[in-house]
Amino acid sequence: MEVDRYERYWMWAATGMLVLFLGAIVLTALAGSAHPPSHVETIDPETLSIRGEFAAPGVTPRADGGVTVSMRAEMYVFRPEVIRVPAGTPVTFRITSPDVLHGFQIVGTNINVTVAPGYVSEVTTTFRRPGEYLVVCNEYCGLAHHLMQGKVIVEGAP
Ligand SMILES: [Cu+2]
């Protein structure tokens, strides 16, 4: 089959772009530890503020030495707003929403999850560097969305 020279160039250019873009996705997934959503756990958004784990959100030490952080993301605040966790220890964030879709992003890390009402988002990380990390909501959730932020304070080894 005879293909025009310029058409052949453009076919190769399009194929090259596909390879480049797919390669960028694979590379960032491997190098940046980006994961597709994998945790599915449902919860009743109408009662989570009244009873259960999310009625009293906070940091709980686990038997394996790690800590679990239970959180509510709601219009327009994270509860708790300030979280203190130890450095060098696995930290599991469990976050849910009683109202609308929110985001939970810890600036300067690869933690970035969507928080949907009816679901518990769970992500585990280990903070190597002590310090203060800003937490922002990155899903537009209403008029005061821009004010919705929190703080993770990573405390160094005593
Ligand atoms: Cu928001």
Side-chain angles (χ1 to χ4, degrees):
M1 189 177 78
E2 184 61 33
V3 179
D4 182 74
R5 185 157 47 118
Y6 290 110
E7 194 171 353
R8 201 164 52 238
Y9 291 163
W10 281 112
M11 281 162 59
W12 278 112
T15 305
M17 282 194 288
L18 275 177
V19 170
L20 184 75
F21 296 154
L22 285 173
I25 291 170
V26 171
L27 190 73
T28 52
L30 296 176
S33 298
H35 305 289
S38 54
H39 181 82
V40 178
E41 180 183 340
T42 55
I43 191 166
D44 182 357
E46 292 188 349
T47 58
L48 65 86
S49 303
I50 302 165
R51 57 177 171 269
E53 172 188 353
F54 298 97
V59 182
T60 315
R62 290 196 308 259
D64 66 359
V67 297
T68 299
V69 183
S70 303
M71 293 186 73
R72 294 201 313 260
E74 54 193 45
M75 296 160 89
Y76 300 97
V77 69
F78 291 103
R79 295 190 195 279
E81 272 191 280
V82 179
I83 302 151
R84 289 177 185 276
V85 294
T89 302
V91 178
T92 300
F93 291 95
R94 289 171 52 74
I95 316 152
T96 189
S97 163
D99 42 46
V100 297
L101 197 68
H102 295 281
F104 177 80
Q105 179 176 10
I106 305 179
V107 178
T109 72
N110 68 340
I111 304 294
N112 184 359
V113 292
T114 298
V115 184
Y119 293 89
V120 178
S121 299
E122 186 175 303
V123 62
T124 300
T125 191
T126 300
F127 293 95
R128 300 279 168 216
R129 223 167 11 94
E132 289 192 10
Y133 295 78
L134 178 68
V135 176
V136 294
C137 173
N138 57 14
E139 295 279 356
Y140 182 75
C141 54
L143 283 179
H145 161 67
H146 61 289
L147 301 174
M148 186 168 170
Q149 53 180 254
K151 198 190 288 181
V152 173
I153 300 174
V154 179
E155 294 169 326

